[in-house]
């Protein structure tokens, strides 16, 4: 599931970077817009990674609790 989430994010982020770069080359967007997309994408990537790591930790905790509940 985490690999699929990162693949979907990577495709979406790549599309956003391509879209804003094409707009910037055509003069419809500024350099600041390109930098904003890159920065926001990096922050979103970090947040997704944090959520995936936390969910993995939660799964391990639940499995440990099931083991001790027997």
């Amino acid at each position: 599931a985490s690999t699929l989430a990162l693949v979907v994010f990577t495709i979406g982020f790549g599309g956003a970077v391509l879209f804003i770069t094409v707009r910037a080359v055509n003069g419809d967007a500024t350099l600041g817009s390109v930098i904003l997309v890159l920065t926001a994408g990096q922050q979103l990537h970090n947040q997704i990674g944090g959520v995936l790591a936390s969910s993995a930790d939660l799964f391990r905790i639940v499995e440990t609790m099931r083991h001790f509940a027997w």
Side-chain angles (χ1 to χ4, degrees), residues 2-68:
S2 62
T3 303
L4 180 62
L6 287 175
V7 167
V8 169
F9 170 78
T10 302
I11 291 169
F13 181 59
V17 169
L18 180 63
F19 176 75
I20 197 68
T21 302
V22 169
R23 288 196 58 178
V25 168
N26 291 336
D28 297 330
T30 64
L31 178 60
S33 297
V34 175
I35 292 171
L36 181 65
V37 167
L38 292 173
T39 303
Q42 181 60 39
Q43 290 177 356
L44 183 60
H45 180 266
N46 290 340
Q47 290 175 354
I48 290 172
V51 167
L52 292 175
S54 296
S55 64
D57 291 340
L58 180 62
F59 179 75
R60 280 193 293 276
I61 290 169
V62 168
E63 288 300 311
T64 301
M65 295 305 291
R66 284 184 185 164
H67 175 72
F68 287 122

